[in-house]
Amino acid sequence: MGAVRRAEDVLRGRRGMLERAAADLAPGQLERVRQLLERWSEGSKRELAELLGEERARRLMRDLGIE
């Protein structure tokens, strides 16, 4: 069973990690991903996949340790 994370915990200590993991994103996309992660909820995985594509979203979540 997966752990449930609070929205405020998703990016705690991970901002630099996010910027390195998402270095290939356009600046606008990076900001949208950052906003999405700051308000993380049940539907956020789906929204992230719609924004980045399944594989990139999965890789980003793995790199950030949130999946």
Side-chain angles (χ1 to χ4, degrees):
M1 183 177 286
V4 176
R5 296 184 188 269
R6 297 180 313 180
E8 59 269 15
D9 291 339
V10 173
L11 275 182
R12 182 170 288 144
R14 294 185 174 112
R15 291 188 192 285
M17 190 183 306
L18 169 62
E19 290 180 11
R20 285 189 301 277
D24 61 336
L25 298 178
Q29 267 190 325
L30 177 59
E31 186 57 33
R32 288 182 63 196
V33 169
R34 181 180 292 122
Q35 290 171 358
L36 176 63
L37 293 174
E38 287 174 350
R39 62 176 174 77
W40 194 256
S41 66
E42 283 296 314
S44 295
K45 285 184 182 183
R46 185 184 79 255
E47 194 174 339
L48 188 62
E50 289 172 2
L51 179 64
L52 301 177
E54 284 288 329
E55 185 58 37
R56 283 175 92 185
R58 192 173 318 135
R59 185 173 7 113
L60 179 64
M61 288 189 296
R62 184 193 66 225
D63 291 349
L64 293 175
I66 56 176
E67 186 171 64

